[in-house]
Amino acid sequence: MTDETALLSPSAAGPKRPAAEGGGRGRSGQVWRSRRYRWDLRWSPYAFVAPFFLFFAVFGLFPLLYTGWAALHQVELTDPDAMTWVGLRNFTRLWDDEFFWNALRNTVTIGLLSTVPQLAIALGVAHLLNYRLRGSAFFRVAVLTPYATSVAAATLVFVLLFGRDYGMINWALSAVGLGAVDWQNGTFASQLAVSTIVIWRWTGYNALIYLAAMQAVPGELYESAALDGASRWQQFLHVTVPSLRPTILFTCVVSTIGATQLFGEPLLFNGGAGATGGSDHQFQTLGLYLYEQGWVNLHLGRASAIAWAMFLILLLIAGAARLLRGRGDSR
Amino acid sequence: MRTLRAGRLTYVVLGLFTAGSLFPLVWTAIAASRTNTRLAQTPPPFWFGGNLGRNLQIAWTDANMGTALLNTVIVAGTVTVGTVLFSTLAGFAFAKLRFRGRRMLMALVVGTMLIPPQLSVVPLYMLIAKLSWTDRLQAVVLPSLVCAFGVFFMRQYLVHALPTELVEAARTDGASSLRVMWHVVFPAARPAMAVLGMLTFVMSWNDFFWPIVALTQNGSPTVQVALTGLGRGYIPDQSVIMAGALLGTLPLLLVFLVFGRQIVGGIMQGAVKG
């Protein structure tokens, strides 16, 4: 142990080494050692990154490519080995499938309903957390707590809170003189409810990301803004928000990716009724539709086609974000 | 840095937001301590009742929550150890070692972060079906054992936290790569490893999409899969469902109570550097 730690500091190890190797195996041993040493230097980096790429190849890259292949076949869950070539039929079928377009529409509206308020509230909360606060550690941890809750647990609670007859939210609405809402069957109401679960779980997380970015904003910017007579609100608008633009864009992209994959909330918000996303598919998302096609209706080929459609949509969004950023930078 | 002191209004707004964040969790416990009949009455209960023990017991036995919890501990534990270990190895190589193809491989790692999990779920299912792994824990462990974010996170940390001279000094003394790893890299990386470990554990514990595809309630479910069984009304008792939800959440809440500050720090650190 001592001689191993000594290896870290050359001065301490220097005089010891000859003694350690002392006399002994002579020249051929030294040659072997130095060869092994060079070999180690050269190849160990690859050994260190190998586990990642090995697992990624098997469980990431291979499935990724194979999805494209499976999408061109008719494959049933009951017998995944029997694949019949159908060309682009899974895709043309999707094009004519009203449930696909319905799921796409729902994904967009639920995505907007959850992402926009989520990021706006997060920005505000981060701004408040950025003040010199008593108990700031408590607030930060408390705000992040929903992040530790699983989709399943969170959705089950919200199903109860959003209950039509005895739910607390409808009780509160009636108490202030507003009517009860049928949160599960109304199209907009159900999408709002599903979005609420997403907002609840992720706002605090995003607030902390914004807070981190805010703390990196140089104080002089605020001082000079204050000298120019900017109010706190103006400082927030003209100093904080512009400085945070890369972070805001980052969270937008991450939340959008998350929104396109929305699955657990709409699945469980449906109570016992399976993967349809409500009696009238009113909150069925693309992720849920993929699951229904693959694991309820057992059509793995069609599920693969939906997966590729989702990927293409993501690429479109990424491209749009890039364009937007490009335009913003040139301004 | 700005040190504006918070006004009273700040505390009020933050207090309200915090209450909104914590309320559903507290209410889970309240609902779990009541009876199903009481939950089907207005106004809804605002304080604890005396039925918690009974509900927990039913959830524990009927929904197999004990087994599910054990399975989840095994899965999340293994995934965490694997992710942290492999991320540190690869992160160190990318941060401090020179080798051919380094830039390209790192770009590949970052690129993989953008691939949505849905895109690989069908072939992944076919793969585990072929291996007869459906309903077995390795079906959820193995695909999650490495994580691009982890590699990225460790690389960012080690670039600054590990002095290159230290590695070179150890090299000059003839230390092998494994020794360098053990005596230089791991000690330097320990804080980041802890944070990555906690983040991975939380993520793995809460993972939903893939487990529900690969596991069923009849096989060896994780807590999340067992909870969907509860939600789908195998037990049509809301208070029992809430007891199950509480059982699935409590372990993580305890982790949060103990390590909350570090997890917050980790997320904020990852955000600035990311």
Side-chain angles (χ1 to χ4, degrees), chain A residues 4 7 37 40 44 46 56 63-64 67 77 81 132 134 142 148 150 157 160 166 168 171 200 261 263 307, chain B residues 4-6 11 18 20-21 27-28 40 43 100 112 116 118-119 123 125 130 171 173 177 179 206 224 238 252:
Chain A
E4 275 163 5
L7 283 172
Y37 180 71
D40 176 38
S44 62
Y46 296 103
F56 169 68
L64 184 72
T67 311
L77 185 78
D81 283 336
R132 213 168 67 202
R134 231 178 268 164
S150 72
V157 184
L160 212 51
Y166 309 106
M168 185 175 289
W171 171 80
W200 179 71
Q261 293 163 10
F263 167 73
Chain B
L4 270 180
R5 187 138 354 114
Y11 285 102
T18 310
S21 296
W27 202 74
T28 306
R100 220 176 246 269
T112 61
Q118 274 89 350
L119 208 53
Y125 186 81
K130 194 149 211 156
R171 285 287 192 198
D173 286 339
S177 294
R179 275 198 173 189
N206 288 335
Q224 311 308 330
Q238 298 291 347
L252 271 201

Side-chain angles (χ1 to χ4, degrees), chain B:
Chain B
M1 219 183 92
R2 194 166 54 144
T3 48
L4 270 180
R5 187 138 354 114
R8 213 166 275 167
L9 191 65
T10 307
Y11 285 102
V12 172
V13 177
L14 274 180
L16 283 175
F17 186 80
T18 310
S21 296
L22 298 178
F23 175 73
L25 295 169
V26 177
W27 202 74
T28 306
I30 292 178
S33 70
R34 294 288 184 160
T35 61
N36 199 35
T37 352
R38 178 61 189 87
L39 290 181
Q41 283 168 11
T42 40
F46 286 99
W47 196 243
F48 299 90
N51 225 14
L52 186 64
R54 174 193 161 270
N55 289 334
L56 285 176
Q57 203 175 3
I58 297 180
W60 186 270
T61 49
D62 285 18
N64 242 332
M65 284 303 267
T67 324
L69 277 169
L70 185 66
N71 287 338
T72 315
V73 169
I74 294 171
V75 169
T78 321
V79 167
T80 302
V81 171
T83 302
V84 170
L85 183 68
F86 295 146
S87 300
T88 311
L89 286 175
F92 165 61
F94 282 125
K96 294 289 160 179
L97 302 179
R98 308 262 162 262
F99 56 100
R100 220 176 246 269
R102 184 171 87 132
R103 277 163 177 265
M104 193 201 69
L105 289 176
M106 190 61 210
L108 196 62
V109 170
V110 175
T112 61
M113 287 200 274
L114 303 172
I115 301 168
Q118 274 89 350
L119 208 53
S120 24
V121 71
V122 169
L124 212 48
Y125 186 81
M126 291 161 86
L127 186 68
I128 63 149
K130 194 149 211 156
L131 296 165
S132 312
W133 282 0
T134 28
D135 265 342
R136 301 244 198 114
L137 290 184
Q138 61 260 44
V140 281
V141 169
L142 287 174
S144 325
L145 221 44
V146 296
C147 155
F149 167 76
V151 175
F152 182 73
F153 182 83
M154 289 312 300
R155 192 200 93 98
Q156 298 301 87
Y157 182 81
L158 285 174
V159 163
H160 298 292
L162 177 64
T164 312
E165 304 82 60
L166 206 61
V167 180
E168 276 164 5
R171 285 287 192 198
T172 325
D173 286 339
S176 68
S177 294
L178 280 181
R179 275 198 173 189
V180 171
M181 204 67 217
W182 187 252
H183 292 291
V184 183
V185 180
F186 280 151
R190 200 176 292 152
M193 286 167 90
V195 168
L196 179 64
M198 285 182 285
L199 292 179
T200 311
F201 192 81
V202 173
M203 261 192 292
S204 176
W205 185 282
N206 288 335
D207 196 13
F208 189 69
F209 185 59
W210 176 240
I212 202 163
V213 169
L215 309 173
T216 64
Q217 283 111 36
N218 310 321
S220 31
T222 59
V223 166
Q224 311 308 330
V225 179
L227 280 181
T228 58
L230 279 176
R232 280 173 181 164
Y234 292 162
I235 303 161
D237 185 329
Q238 298 291 347
S239 62
V240 173
I241 294 177
M242 287 299 105
L246 192 64
L247 277 175
T249 315
L250 223 46
L252 271 201
L253 287 185
L254 289 179
V255 170
F256 240 61
L257 215 60
V258 181
F259 299 110
R261 274 175 172 224
Q262 283 90 324
I263 296 177
V264 167
I267 284 174
M268 289 179 62
Q269 198 180 42
V272 176
K273 288 175 178 167

Side-chain angles (χ1 to χ4, degrees), chain A residues 263-310:
Chain A
F263 167 73
E265 292 90 345
L267 175 72
L268 290 169
F269 195 69
N270 203 14
T276 55
S279 50
D280 202 22
H281 300 260
Q282 66 270 26
F283 51 91
Q284 186 171 46
T285 55
L286 281 174
L288 197 50
Y289 189 50
L290 180 152
Y291 179 75
E292 192 191 21
Q293 283 296 323
W295 282 271
V296 180
N297 301 337
L298 315 179
H299 303 313
L300 288 181
R302 268 187 246 171
S304 304
I306 299 172
W308 268 95
M310 289 171 73

